[in-house]
Amino acid sequence: MTSSILVLGAGMVGTCTALHLQQRGFDVVLVDRRTPGQETSFGNAGLIQQEAVEPYAFPREPGFVLNAALGRGAEVNWHARGLWQMAGSLWRYFKNSHPQPHARATEAYSQLIAHATHEHDPLITAAGAQDLVTREGFRFVFRTAQAFDEAARRAEDLHTRFGVRSQAENTTQLAMAEPALQRSMAGAVRWLEPWAVNDPGALVQRYADLFVARGGRLLTGDATSLQSQGLGWSVQTTEGRVHAEQAVLALGPWADGLIRTLGYRFPLFIKRGYHQHYTSPAQLLQPVLDAERGYVLAPMQRGLRLTTGAEFAPIDAPPTPVQLAKAEALARELVNLGEPLPEAPWLGARPCTADMLPVTGPAPRHKGLWFNFGHAHQGFTLGPVAGRLLAEMVDGRHTWIDPAPYAPARFM
Ligand SMILES: Cc1cc2nc3c(=O)[nH]c(=O)nc-3n(C[C@H](O)[C@H](O)[C@H](O)COP(=O)(O)OP(=O)(O)OC[C@H]3O[C@@H](n4cnc5c(N)ncnc54)[C@H](O)[C@@H]3O)c2cc1C
């Protein structure tokens, strides 16, 4: 008999989870309060980061915390209320960023990242989304020789340990490869394996269209109406209350709010981020991270997208795009940005965990309930991997990756 399941949240993670469950014969209802891919999965830098084998650690360089505290630089911004709310999780994140625990997290994280492009590939083909994807890599560019040399050494190390492929480019090679760069840079590390998506929200929408074309039901509804009912779960939608035997929470940065109502206190926090598009007459060929300044420039269908680093603020606090203004000034040193498009800056929130690993697996205290969130800086990259891993667990079969490091029960 077909088993029914609700997937709450149609971002990259929820949509891919729905597709993988459907592929395994489940009767899946995908529920979101908006159309698919309109939140965090919409506004990111669009990178499928096959190079990101190390989860993003709390920066430990001397001077970083002082600069962040004084509001210098474009990398970090904070609201006092945000720091206060997240203090416990941030402290654990800081401790887990120590080289030893970070190396353990990397061991687990790299297992997921290793499959990122390989798992997106069949979905991109089936969804007819090749027009959205470029498979030409991603550059970290460096202003100083010291930072470039260190990065080139680190890239070699990642190649030895994880097989991550890259090319170091000196000043001349970089200027030839990326003529839109108008400032002479010390060099670049070009990661060869990442892919770039020129409209990330559209890719999620195409995946959701594929889910519907294969017979899945996509409904508008509110995840906060989730109730355990009899042996299963139900949620309120515009088509009435929908029941299923099981449910998956894939609510990205909103997961914490819902799981708290179920009695879970996990060390979760968010890093908000902004983007703005520019007309940029001299288009970059590939996305670029200005590695010593902490923002990304990514060519998109709408123009050149500038995305910012981390802002520690409550998810519902009003936008304070000060990093965007600083990053824009820095980006103007690198490229001819042109004019910002006449639209308000986009604001989203990376869903983070204190141990830098996602939360993928059964809810420890609720039968038939599953969690799939907390993919932080790489949720767009990891959606298909996380979706497959969770679907294999729900299906009760052997999983192709060991799910133990991501088990929600680790926080109990
Ligand atoms: C500036 C920035 C740049 C980034 N760049 C990259 C990048 O280049 N590559 C990368 O891999 N990652 C990147 N990320 C991270 C990535 O965007 C996220 O990790 C990822 O989008 C999370 O996906 P998700 O599906 O978990 O969450 P979301 O995409 O936020 O999806 C959650 C869904 O839940 C729905 N929802 C929430 N509450 C309710 C409710 N009550 N009822 C019904 N539905 C609800 C929302 O509407 C939403 O559709 C970036 C993030 C930011 C902020």
Side-chain angles (χ1 to χ4, degrees):
M1 208 184 83
T2 312
S3 177
S4 58
I5 188 158
L6 300 166
V7 177
L8 305 181
M12 182 54 97
V13 173
T15 303
C16 291
T17 305
L19 275 164
H20 274 286
L21 285 163
Q22 181 185 54
Q23 206 173 307
R24 285 160 185 78
F26 287 84
D27 176 14
V28 188
V29 183
L30 178 58
V31 179
D32 202 297
R33 58 187 173 191
R34 303 190 64 183
T35 48
Q38 286 302 302
E39 293 286 359
T40 331
S41 300
F42 172 88
N44 54 60
L47 289 156
I48 300 178
Q49 288 188 261
Q50 189 70 26
E51 90 295 349
V53 287
E54 297 179 300
Y56 198 98
F58 194 105
R60 300 178 78 85
E61 294 87 35
F64 176 86
V65 175
L66 182 65
N67 276 342
L70 296 175
R72 289 191 206 133
E75 283 142 306
V76 174
N77 189 40
W78 50 273
H79 293 195
R81 189 162 71 90
L83 286 185
W84 174 251
Q85 265 183 11
M86 298 183 245
S89 301
L90 286 177
W91 176 241
R92 283 172 76 168
Y93 175 38
F94 178 75
K95 285 196 297 185
N96 285 326
S97 298
H98 186 273
Q100 269 175 3
H102 185 253
R104 282 198 296 277
T106 298
E107 219 168 281
Y109 202 69
S110 60
Q111 300 290 315
L112 302 174
I113 290 286
H115 301 279
T117 51
H118 193 252
E119 289 298 315
H120 267 283
D121 200 31
L123 296 181
I124 290 169
T125 305
Q130 290 91 339
D131 58 309
L132 301 177
V133 185
T134 311
R135 302 169 193 227
E136 300 284 331
F138 168 37
R139 275 196 180 81
F140 287 12
V141 299
F142 297 91
R143 293 170 180 245
T144 63
Q146 190 194 346
F148 171 47
D149 292 343
E150 272 170 30
R153 275 198 297 276
R154 180 180 158 256
E156 271 176 31
D157 178 50
L158 291 185
H159 182 248
T160 310
R161 288 160 57 212
F162 302 102
V164 177
R165 289 171 48 234
S166 65
Q167 251 170 15
E169 296 170 330
N170 64 23
T171 305
T172 317
Q173 289 163 330
L174 172 59
M176 280 170 62
E178 197 52 280
L181 286 175
Q182 58 193 17
R183 183 189 200 272
S184 174
M185 303 296 284
V189 171
R190 179 174 164 224
W191 305 104
L192 300 173
E193 294 158 308
W195 295 351
V197 176
N198 63 26
D199 187 344
L203 185 63
V204 181
Q205 182 64 60
R206 301 260 185 108
Y207 286 180
D209 292 345
L210 176 65
F211 166 75
V212 172
R214 288 175 171 173
R217 270 204 299 164
L218 172 64
L219 298 180
T220 306
D222 184 358
T224 61
S225 66
L226 182 73
Q227 280 176 3
S228 104
Q229 209 156 13
L231 290 177
W233 295 88
S234 76
V235 72
Q236 191 62 38
T237 73
T238 49
E239 297 188 14
R241 192 157 267 281
V242 179
H243 303 254
E245 288 154 56
Q246 305 189 72
V248 183
L249 298 189
L251 297 170
W254 292 275
D256 196 22
L258 187 57
I259 66 167
R260 278 173 182 270
T261 66
L262 297 168
Y264 297 100
R265 297 278 184 278
F266 289 180
L268 306 176
F269 61 99
I270 55 160
K271 292 181 188 171
R272 304 206 308 181
Y274 297 84
H275 86 219
Q276 178 83 58
H277 292 107
Y278 296 84
T279 52
S280 187
Q283 273 281 354
L284 284 172
L285 299 174
Q286 282 152 28
V288 155
L289 168 74
D290 186 352
E292 290 161 89
R293 298 292 184 272
Y295 66 89
V296 171
L297 290 171
M300 294 276 162
Q301 279 180 6
R302 288 182 58 71
L304 188 60
R305 180 179 286 187
L306 187 161
T307 62
T308 65
E311 181 178 65
F312 298 99
I315 195 163
D316 53 358
T320 47
V322 290
Q323 288 162 288
L324 204 47
K326 290 179 187 171
E328 177 182 320
L330 292 163
R332 287 193 185 283
E333 297 170 6
L334 259 57
V335 292
N336 180 358
L337 268 188
E339 296 305 315
L341 295 195
E343 57 191 12
W346 174 86
L347 168 62
R350 302 169 182 91
C352 302
T353 61
D355 64 2
M356 291 161 278
L357 297 177
V359 181
T360 301
R365 286 198 295 255
H366 293 83
K367 195 167 179 309
L369 186 65
W370 301 82
F371 293 163
N372 208 359
F373 49 77
H375 300 84
H377 289 253
Q378 274 93 33
F380 188 71
T381 299
L382 289 175
V385 176
R388 175 173 166 188
L389 184 59
L390 191 87
E392 287 180 345
M393 279 189 260
V394 177
D395 203 17
R397 291 173 198 250
H398 177 72
T399 56
W400 101 122
I401 294 172
D402 174 13
Y406 327 106
R410 72 188 189 275
F411 293 136
M412 300 295 286

